[in-house]
């Protein structure tokens, strides 16, 4: 293994503690302090049995008061809360996807946004029955973008993307009446159903939760992913680095945070501009370093190799380094705490979206039409701020790992082609991967996704689960903050192959891949759906028969619940390390952990003990292997 060694969670924590000392010096607040103030959490909220959807309440369910004023019981209240949670997540992902469609609609050969992957655009146009012959690629981009935008509100029919699912899956969805219709309709319908005096029957609420999840994963999120690829390029394997050590004390540090690559792509573009680099030098810096936090970081890491400073619960740490000139955010997962925290340092906290406006921030409204100008303004502002740095507060933990990222489905198919054979007829399919799985060289795959959550020791669950899975010859595909946890630890370094069982190690060597594959941001979980759909079609199995499971051990956001619903609805058993506020209803818990299996051939498992969680996943993978006789 040479000098390769994983970074441990203890080392992450030591670095954080050192940064919190700086914070204490300047009177900064921190999530670690706020968690203490907020715990223990309200038991009613935790169990999902608090209802405040009408002004007769709030109603709380207790043994003495088993019904709300309207007569709704715990099952109805938990179910409505669960559906609202899902709707929030689906709306968020899908609105991000919509923004990307608008960016594509505005693409212009002479403008800031261009079509970088015309082949993918043409492929999608053909898939959707849009004429491509003799058409200017930008005219085609506008037509495809408009067609995609109509998916959000079309009055009739179901989502176009669902035709990518195997026929068997499509039939399950049709039979269960959960085929996703217009994206906005499913979100609106979820809010309608969960209004006072509508649905209170768990079965109905769970069914709409799956449908609303599907409009995200096989609708809005898929638009986000596919059209980001068209605009910014389909990811290919690329080397980068991860953890706070990617920030550079000699340079102007700009941290991009959020989700929408329309902003971060432009910031990266201008941080590379010789004119602005010269400007940075003129203020005393050696250059400009852009790094990222959360999913927008995944987006620019996958396409440009921009380093990842950290994941969700590390967002305050980038400011605490005292070396962050600007933290530039777009939408989602941004702590409002960053405003007051930045004020304790010289850092500029720059909000850019009307969707995510926060106190104590500098609001530089970003839009497609003015993207170049605004990105330039932001980079310049960060350079100007370099001189305001307080050297006595600067401390960047010397901690980073190498990572190879960028495993889109297209890239994965390509690299895995090299593994089992060189037959021409298997090129461009998932068959080599299927051969690895059926032969037992790889036992199966786990999609590790989701956030950090202070309820779980940050990153510990992600990293420990991944280590055990790869040691058991189970390949891990990761996205979101789970992917960044892996990258920070070193599990996306190709040398981590030595931590694998013999079979997976061999595959990593032959294909020249790390054992944990970075598939992108959270909207990119749609890539994982496409991958399992292809695996099912190429193997002749149903998705639910594949030895593949999903896992979100440290999740926290509404988006994660929406994801969970579409992953389960796609036929993939999903393992959660945090309860989605359903403990207050045995009926809801029963529907989610078993009842839905009758509709979609998969269900949830909730297990907060990490050791047990990983064993359950391995067990499920082995059961699936036995069931198909491999
Ligand atoms: O969408 S994993 S904390 S950053 S919600 Fe947020 Fe969770 Fe991170 Fe990306 Ni996804
Ligand atoms: Fe109470 Fe029913 Fe109103 Fe909910 S909808 S707050 S349970 S009266």
């Amino acid at each position: 293994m040479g000098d390769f060694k994983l970074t441990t969670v203890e080392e992450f924590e030591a670095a954080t503690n050192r940064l919190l000392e700086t914070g204490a010096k300047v009177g900064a607040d921190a999530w670690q302090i706020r968690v203490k103030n907020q715990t223990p959490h309200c038991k009613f909220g935790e169990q999902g049995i608090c209802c405040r959807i009408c002004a007769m309440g709030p109603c709380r369910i207790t043994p003495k008061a088993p019904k709300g004023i309207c007569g709704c019981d715990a099952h109805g209240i938990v179910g409505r809360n669960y559906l609202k949670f899902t709707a929030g997540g689906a709306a968020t992902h899908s609105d991000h996807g919509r923004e990307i469609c608008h960016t594509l609609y505005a693409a212009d050969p002479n403008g800031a946004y261009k079509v970088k992957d015309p082949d993918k655009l043409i492929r999608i146009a053909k898939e959707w029955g849009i004429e491509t012959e003799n058409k200017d690629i930008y005219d085609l981009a506008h037509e495809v973008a408009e067609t995609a935008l109509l998916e959000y509100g079309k009055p009739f029919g179901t989502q176009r993307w669902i035709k990518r699912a195997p026929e068997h899956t499509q039939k399950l969805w049709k039979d269960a009446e959960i085929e996703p219709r217009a994206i906005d309709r499913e979100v609106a319908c979820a809010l309608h159903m969960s209004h006072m005096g509508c649905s209170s029957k768990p079965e109905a609420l769970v069914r709409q939760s799956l449908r609303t999840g599907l409009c995200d994963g096989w609708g809005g999120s898929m638009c986000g992913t596919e059209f980001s690829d068209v605009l910014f390029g389909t990811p290919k394997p690329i080397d980068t680095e991860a953890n706070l050590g990617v920030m550079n004390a000699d340079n102007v540090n700009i941290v991009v945070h959020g989700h929408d690559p329309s902003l971060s792509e432009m910031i990266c573009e201008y941080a590379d501009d010789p004119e602005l680099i010269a400007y940075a030098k003129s203020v005393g810096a050696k250059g400009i370093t852009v790094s990222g936090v959360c999913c927008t970081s995944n987006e620019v890491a996958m396409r440009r190799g921009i380093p990842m400073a950290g994941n969700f619960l590390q967002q305050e740490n980038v400011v605490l380094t005292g070396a962050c000139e600007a933290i530039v955010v777009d939408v989602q997962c941004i702590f409002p705490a960053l405003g007051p925290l930045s004020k304790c340092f010289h850092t500029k906290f720059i909000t850019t979206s009307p969707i995510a406006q926060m106190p104590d921030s500098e609001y530089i409204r970003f839009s497609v039409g003015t993207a170049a100008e605004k990105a330039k303004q932001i980079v310049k502002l960060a350079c100007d701020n370099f001189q305001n740095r307080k050297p006595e507060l600067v401390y960047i933990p010397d901690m980073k790992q190498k990572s190879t990222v960028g495993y889109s489905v297209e890239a994965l198919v390509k690299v895995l082609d090299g593994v089992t054979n060189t037959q021409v007829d298997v090129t461009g399919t998932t068959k080599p991967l299927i051969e690895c799985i059926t032969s037992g060289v790889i036992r199966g795959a786990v999609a590790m996704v989701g956030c950090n959550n202070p309820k779980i020791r940050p990153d510990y669950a992600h990293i420990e689960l991944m280590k055990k899975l790869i040691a058991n010859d189970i390949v891990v595909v990761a996205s979101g903050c789970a992917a960044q946890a892996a990258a920070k630890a070193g599990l996306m370094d190709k040398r981590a192959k030595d931590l694998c069982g013999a079979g997976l190690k061999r595959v990593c060597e032959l294909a020249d891949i790390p054992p944990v594959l970075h598939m992108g941001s959270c909207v990119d979980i749609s890539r994982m759906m496409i991958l399992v759909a292809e695996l099912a079609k190429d193997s002749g199995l149903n998705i639910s028969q594949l030895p593949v499971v999903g896992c979100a051990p440290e999740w926290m956001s509404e988006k994660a619940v929406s994801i969970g619903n579409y992953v389960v609805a796609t036929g993939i058993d999903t393992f959660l390390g945090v309860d989605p506020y359903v403990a207050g209803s045995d009926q809801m818990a029963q529907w989610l952990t078993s009842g839905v299996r009758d509709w979609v051939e998969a269900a949830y498992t909730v297990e907060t003990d990490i050791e047990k969680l990983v064993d359950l996943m391995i067990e499920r993978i082995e059961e699936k292997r036995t069931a198909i006789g491999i």
Side-chain angles (χ1 to χ4, degrees):
M1 239 202 277
D3 57 355
F4 175 70
K5 183 181 148 302
L6 291 185
T7 309
T8 64
V9 171
E10 287 73 17
E11 287 170 300
F12 293 175
E13 289 166 346
T16 298
N17 289 339
R18 169 67 182 76
L19 290 169
L20 289 171
E21 283 171 24
T22 316
K25 270 191 224 156
V26 296
D29 192 13
W31 66 259
Q32 290 84 349
I33 301 170
R34 295 190 298 273
V35 165
K36 290 199 181 111
N37 297 341
Q38 284 294 341
T39 42
H41 294 287
C42 163
K43 285 274 172 271
F44 297 99
E46 253 181 355
Q47 296 183 20
I49 48 174
C50 169
C51 184
R52 48 172 295 281
I53 66 169
C54 93
M56 294 191 285
C59 298
R60 304 183 306 181
I61 300 303
T62 66
K64 255 176 62 192
K67 294 203 168 151
I69 292 170
C70 65
C72 191
D73 62 11
H75 313 300
I77 291 176
V78 170
R80 291 191 305 217
N81 286 341
Y82 184 81
L83 180 54
K84 281 192 194 292
F85 220 110
T86 307
T92 305
H93 273 151
S94 297
D95 208 35
H96 161 178
R98 182 186 346 242
E99 289 294 326
I100 299 293
C101 295
H102 278 294
T103 307
L104 183 65
Y105 189 78
D108 181 333
N110 305 311
Y113 296 102
K114 304 195 172 58
V115 171
K116 279 213 184 132
D117 191 342
D119 294 342
K120 186 155 189 170
L121 176 65
I122 292 168
R123 233 169 42 232
I124 294 169
K126 288 190 173 150
E127 185 182 334
W128 283 3
I130 295 170
E131 184 55 57
T132 57
E133 287 304 309
N134 305 320
K135 207 173 267 173
D136 175 79
I137 200 75
Y138 283 86
D139 289 341
L140 185 63
H142 303 156
E143 198 174 333
V144 170
E146 191 170 352
T147 309
L149 284 164
L150 291 169
E151 289 297 286
Y152 284 79
K154 63 185 191 187
F156 307 107
T158 51
Q159 285 301 297
R160 286 170 180 269
W161 296 122
I162 65 173
K163 299 278 175 290
R164 289 178 166 190
E167 274 174 25
H168 174 76
T169 310
Q170 292 186 51
K171 182 167 184 315
L172 290 176
W173 293 342
K174 194 173 177 47
D175 292 348
E177 282 189 58
I178 56 171
E179 286 175 301
R181 299 160 295 181
I183 299 162
D184 291 345
R185 178 173 185 183
E186 297 306 355
V187 173
C189 181
L191 294 178
H192 186 177
M193 283 179 75
S194 57
H195 188 272
M196 190 271 153
C198 285
S199 289
S200 51
K201 195 167 147 191
E203 179 185 339
L205 294 161
V206 169
R207 209 183 281 275
Q208 183 59 21
S209 297
L210 296 186
R211 197 172 206 177
T212 308
L214 285 171
C215 88
D216 169 0
W218 291 85
S221 274
M222 210 168 271
C223 287
T225 295
E226 296 295 77
F227 299 124
S228 291
D229 284 358
V230 169
L231 280 163
F232 308 120
T234 302
K236 297 197 262 299
I238 186 167
D239 292 335
T240 184
E241 292 176 326
N243 218 341
L244 288 169
V246 303
M247 294 174 72
N248 185 333
D250 295 330
N251 288 358
V252 170
N253 284 296
I254 302 176
V255 177
V256 290
H257 177 12
H259 286 77
D260 185 339
S262 305
L263 169 75
S264 47
E265 278 283 333
M266 279 301 126
I267 300 286
C268 293
E269 196 76 39
Y270 280 92
D272 252 357
D273 180 354
E275 193 190 309
L276 283 160
I277 294 172
Y279 189 70
K281 289 184 177 159
S282 76
V283 297
K286 288 198 175 143
I288 304 174
T289 296
V290 180
S291 59
V293 173
C294 284
C295 280
T296 211
S297 173
N298 290 321
E299 299 273 357
V300 287
M302 294 264 285
R303 298 196 179 89
R304 292 175 176 261
I306 296 291
M308 300 175 274
N311 47 358
F312 182 61
L313 283 181
Q314 203 153 294
Q315 59 183 288
E316 292 178 329
N317 288 16
V318 296
V319 179
L320 289 167
T321 62
C324 174
E325 274 57 55
I327 180 159
V328 190
V329 305
D330 50 83
V331 289
Q332 303 168 25
C333 302
I334 302 147
F335 275 1
L338 291 177
L341 178 63
S342 294
K343 292 236 169 317
C344 298
F345 292 85
H346 74 303
T347 306
K348 297 265 184 209
F349 175 45
I350 303 173
T351 49
T352 60
S353 167
I355 306 265
Q357 303 183 49
M358 297 190 193
D360 298 315
S361 70
E362 199 155 319
Y363 182 44
I364 300 180
R365 187 169 176 167
F366 192 81
S367 66
V368 172
T370 57
E373 178 195 315
K374 293 294 165 80
K376 195 170 173 181
Q377 182 191 346
I378 291 169
V379 174
K380 192 161 175 292
L381 200 105
C383 293
D384 288 334
N385 198 24
F386 184 76
Q387 288 148 319
N388 299 325
R389 214 189 251 187
K390 299 185 184 94
E392 69 281 11
L393 294 180
V394 173
Y395 170 74
I396 300 175
D398 179 21
M399 190 183 275
K400 62 179 176 183
Q401 288 278 9
K402 288 189 172 34
S403 317
T404 304
V405 301
Y407 294 98
S408 57
V409 176
E410 291 86 336
L412 259 179
V413 164
K414 197 156 174 224
V415 294
L416 287 167
D417 249 2
V419 182
T420 46
N421 55 51
T422 49
Q423 285 169 32
V424 186
D425 65 333
V426 297
T427 306
T429 74
T430 61
K431 284 186 179 150
L433 180 54
I434 293 165
E435 262 180 53
C436 292
I437 295 173
T438 48
S439 65
V441 176
I442 296 178
R443 304 301 295 172
V446 171
M448 190 75 70
V449 308
C451 327
N452 299 126
N453 183 329
K455 287 179 181 164
I456 309 279
R457 187 178 176 189
D459 294 333
Y460 183 78
H462 289 307
I463 294 167
E464 291 307 309
L465 294 179
M466 291 189 214
K467 274 163 50 184
K468 183 145 184 193
L469 292 169
I470 63 172
N472 280 280
D473 289 322
I474 294 168
V475 67
V476 176
V477 292
S479 69
C481 290
Q484 289 169 328
K488 288 194 297 177
L491 289 164
M492 288 179 172
D493 186 318
K494 289 176 185 168
R495 290 173 295 178
K497 68 178 179 355
D498 292 330
L499 303 167
C500 302
L504 180 56
K505 180 175 174 183
R506 182 93 187 106
V507 173
C508 290
E509 278 166 353
L510 287 169
D512 193 27
I513 54 171
V516 179
L517 298 163
H518 197 313
M519 287 194 85
S521 63
C522 289
V523 290
D524 291 341
I525 295 169
S526 60
R527 297 190 198 278
M528 298 176 184
M529 298 303 100
I530 297 168
L531 180 60
V532 290
E534 290 306 307
L535 283 168
K537 288 184 219 165
D538 289 342
S539 66
L541 294 165
N542 297 332
I543 291 178
S544 61
Q545 292 176 297
L546 299 169
V548 170
V549 302
C551 180
E554 304 184 27
W555 74 273
M556 63 85 206
S557 89
E558 290 172 317
K559 290 180 284 174
V561 177
S562 176
I563 292 167
N565 285 329
Y566 74 71
V567 174
V568 166
T570 300
I572 302 169
D573 284 323
T574 297
F575 294 74
L576 303 179
V578 178
D579 176 67
Y581 299 143
V582 298
S585 162
D586 54 353
Q587 289 184 20
M588 272 299 291
Q590 197 276 335
W591 272 107
L592 294 173
T593 58
S594 118
V596 293
R597 196 174 289 284
D598 290 343
W599 303 335
V600 293
E601 302 175 344
Y604 282 105
T605 299
V606 182
E607 177 53 69
T608 51
D609 180 328
I610 294 310
E611 277 300 313
K612 284 191 193 149
L613 189 69
V614 69
D615 290 341
L616 286 170
M617 286 196 281
I618 297 173
E619 225 172 82
R620 189 66 50 88
I621 284 171
E622 291 301 330
E623 273 168 26
K624 285 185 183 277
R625 294 188 65 91
T626 310
I628 53 171
I630 58 170

